[in-house]
Amino acid sequence: MTPPAPGGSPTTQAAGELSGTKPVFDITVHGTPGPQGSKTRNPSGALYESSAKVKPWREAVKSAALDALAYDEAWRPLREAVRLEVVFTLRRPRSHYGTGRNAGVVKPSAPQFPIGKPDTDKLLRSTQDALKDAGVLLDDSVVTDTVAAKRYVLTGVDALSHPGAVIRVWRLTKPKEPES
């Protein structure tokens, strides 16, 4: 069975039944998605992230997640298999727009989908780490299924009117009892 489109209501998949038709966690994050991946060494040998957008993005995801969890005193980090769905909304480059009287109009030659950087897998990496830091996931290794999409602003299901992401998490199995 093919995975459902992000934002849909999945009911079954190859790994088995989803534990409910509603996600157990659902947030919208505002900010520019930042990829986490390559590290660079400075002249003294210290490692640092190649992208300056990683730290602000992880903080935005963590903050939105903590805000969502603030009202759920019973929440415990997910320790069972989960499905993560994320739709990243990116700003179109200026080169996609016309000039003069066509300023603000997308050129017919502009791509419909963001096929350049940042890589979807690197965006997922930073997002998963932030969800772990916020206490949504016990560890990012519990994510067994992912559906991720990159969209330009206002171009598709779950695409926002500004950069950010819609994040949904479903349980794939019944919750595990916390280890004592």
Side-chain angles (χ1 to χ4, degrees), residues 54 71 79 108 115 129 136 147 158 167 177:
V54 174
Y71 301 103
R79 55 181 56 239
I115 57 174
D129 284 350
V136 174
V147 176
D158 285 334
I167 302 170
E177 294 299 319

Side-chain angles (χ1 to χ4, degrees), residues 87-98:
V87 177
F88 296 101
T89 301
L90 306 174
R91 182 172 280 117
R92 277 190 180 274
R94 287 185 186 163
S95 61
H96 287 201
Y97 295 97

Side-chain angles (χ1 to χ4, degrees), residues 1-2 9 11 25 28 31 49 54 69 73 82 96 106 124-125 157 174 177:
M1 176 175 214
T2 58
S9 296
T11 55
F25 186 78
T28 299
E49 282 293 335
V54 174
L69 296 175
E73 293 179 14
V82 299
H96 287 201
V106 177
L124 276 171
R125 191 177 305 160
V157 176
K174 293 188 189 290
E177 294 299 319

Side-chain angles (χ1 to χ4, degrees), residues 92-99 102 105-115 152:
R92 277 190 180 274
R94 287 185 186 163
S95 61
H96 287 201
Y97 295 97
T99 58
N102 292 319
V105 177
V106 177
K107 294 178 185 176
S109 61
Q112 180 181 359
F113 298 101
I115 57 174
Y152 286 124

